[in-house]
Amino acid sequence: MDDPRLTPARPDLAAKYLDGKVKAARFVTGEEFEVKTAIAPLREAPFADATLLTQALKGEQVTIYDHNGEGWAWGQLNIDGYVGWLPESALARPTAAPTHKVTALRTFAFPGPSIKLPPLDAFPMGARVAIAREDGMFAVTREGHFLPRQHLALLDTNASDFVDIAGRFIGTPYLWGGKSNLGIDCSGLVQISLEAAGTGCPRDSDMQ
């Protein structure tokens, strides 16, 4: 049987590419979105207190198959294939393809070229951004966020040692489904560390 964690199929609805492979009342072609917030929770059900399955980071692509009309969207993450519910407020239509990724544990996004300005947001390691230009020590995203250039690298840049990446998370509190230094779980730590070193990795321990 297909793993439900990685199979966008329910009795009432399934992804079009699964037609003939699973049973569902109807099959739909998904719509492409990207995560616009720093971190978006992917939950088991469309409720804020539902189990956190994993987290999607800024710039991550997701294929959405259903909207419940109450602020939640059901879909599949494009990087690791995980399926669940995301808050619609965390999603946007893709505009410019990401060019860079965050390599620091966390970096601030400033409204202008000064670290003295109140930051607008903070992006975790692995977040993806589209850089439009550089301004001194900052890289400026297409949304107008100023990020420290030293905290970024081109998407195809890989860390030399995934163990070193994992070591940076020492002291991070445990969070089931977490994928950042605000909270992380064991398989999330493995996934983030290996991806930083250029090795694709499934989300859960049994898959890994």
Side-chain angles (χ1 to χ4, degrees), residues 129-184:
V129 293
I131 297 302
R133 61 186 177 87
E134 294 182 353
D135 187 338
M137 62 180 287
F138 294 93
V140 187
T141 71
R142 293 188 184 276
E143 302 116 318
H145 294 149
F146 287 70
L147 308 177
R149 287 170 53 193
Q150 66 185 32
H151 293 168
L152 302 174
L154 291 169
L155 281 184
D156 59 0
T157 302
N158 297 323
S160 59
D161 185 358
F162 71 89
V163 176
D164 174 68
I165 298 296
R168 300 183 194 179
F169 286 88
I170 291 175
T172 299
Y174 182 88
L175 175 66
W176 181 272
K179 284 183 61 176
S180 81
N181 71 327
L182 292 179
I184 201 165

Side-chain angles (χ1 to χ4, degrees), residues 40-133:
L42 185 84
R43 299 194 179 276
E44 187 175 40
F47 307 103
D49 58 354
T51 298
L52 179 66
L53 300 177
T54 186
Q55 292 175 325
L57 308 182
K58 180 176 175 60
E60 189 165 344
Q61 303 292 302
V62 55
T63 305
I64 295 299
Y65 295 102
D66 187 30
H67 300 266
N68 74 346
E70 298 180 357
W72 292 87
W74 182 74
Q76 183 172 33
L77 302 180
N78 290 9
I79 291 179
D80 60 21
Y82 224 103
V83 175
W85 291 91
L86 291 153
E88 289 181 331
S89 59
L91 303 175
R93 294 286 188 178
T95 50
T99 58
H100 290 68
K101 61 184 177 182
V102 174
T103 55
L105 277 180
R106 185 166 295 272
T107 191
F108 286 119
F110 297 97
S114 172
I115 60 173
K116 297 180 180 180
L117 296 171
L120 300 171
D121 210 338
F123 300 150
M125 178 183 286
R128 301 176 173 211
V129 293
I131 297 302
R133 61 186 177 87

